[in-house]
Amino acid sequence: MRLVRRHSLKLDRWMPEALKDHTLAYSEQTFRSGDDRPVIARVDRAYRAPSGLIVLVELKTRQADRVHPSDIIELSAQRVALSGETGEPVARIAWVVVESAVGRRAHSVRLMSPHAVRDLALRREALLAGTESPHYPATNRVCASCGHRARCHMNN
């Protein structure tokens, strides 16, 4: 019993004051929006406020304590999928908790609108179908760690 208590206290230290009165609603669960082009996303954690509003939390382990644009896209897709499947209201503000060499820190982020998420999904489909061309980054610095580098036209 003592080990469990210490472990849960350690997990709660990262939690921002804004979430202290929230309860865990969902953990490691996949949701699917119910429209003609469904958005499917796996939620790390979702907390329910006393008002019933759901707040998303994404856990990341990184060398640097920072939020990436992909984190916001990922959480925004989670918002669309969870709300679409459950009908529950999901907050426009979410949290990215980064565990790095300096410790664990929570960052609040503003999520994309459901319309912007759907537009992004449509763009992805068009890119994969070859009906649209990609926009390459302004510098090659981003390309150094990209998983698509070997087959990218920019690097050939």
Side-chain angles (χ1 to χ4, degrees):
M1 183 76 151
R2 176 175 267 167
L3 283 174
V4 172
R5 180 175 290 136
R6 278 189 193 158
H7 185 64
S8 73
L9 288 174
K10 183 179 177 186
L11 288 176
D12 289 344
R13 271 190 274 155
W14 65 264
M15 191 174 281
E17 195 61 39
L19 297 179
K20 293 287 185 185
D21 63 346
H22 291 43
T23 57
L24 184 63
Y26 303 102
S27 177
E28 298 294 330
Q29 193 168 336
T30 302
F31 295 92
R32 178 187 179 109
S33 67
D35 49 13
D36 60 335
R37 282 201 156 88
V39 174
I40 303 166
R42 184 165 182 84
V43 170
D44 266 3
R45 290 190 184 173
Y47 291 87
R48 184 174 283 110
S51 67
L53 184 67
I54 300 293
V55 180
L56 296 169
V57 176
E58 185 68 22
L59 308 171
K60 298 291 183 184
T61 302
R62 298 198 167 121
Q63 289 184 348
D65 179 24
R66 63 177 288 221
V67 174
H68 296 281
S70 59
D71 300 330
I72 296 168
I73 294 168
E74 185 177 359
L75 281 160
S76 298
Q78 290 175 18
R79 179 177 181 234
V80 169
L82 192 152
S83 180
E85 182 171 317
T86 67
E88 294 183 84
V90 181
R92 181 94 189 249
I93 301 295
W95 295 87
V96 178
V97 178
V98 179
E99 176 129 17
S100 68
V102 298
R104 189 178 290 164
R105 189 168 144 226
H107 303 265
S108 69
V109 295
R110 183 165 198 75
L111 301 181
M112 301 163 54
S113 71
H115 181 74
V117 171
R118 284 178 177 54
D119 285 350
L120 194 59
L122 289 173
R123 172 131 172 85
R124 180 182 178 276
E125 285 179 20
L127 287 168
L128 292 174
T131 58
E132 282 192 39
S133 298
H135 301 276
Y136 296 107
T139 69
N140 289 21
R141 196 170 136 237
V142 174
C143 301
S145 61
C146 179
H148 303 283
R149 185 175 183 181
R151 61 180 184 264
C152 180
H153 299 293
M154 182 177 176
N155 293 307
N156 294 333

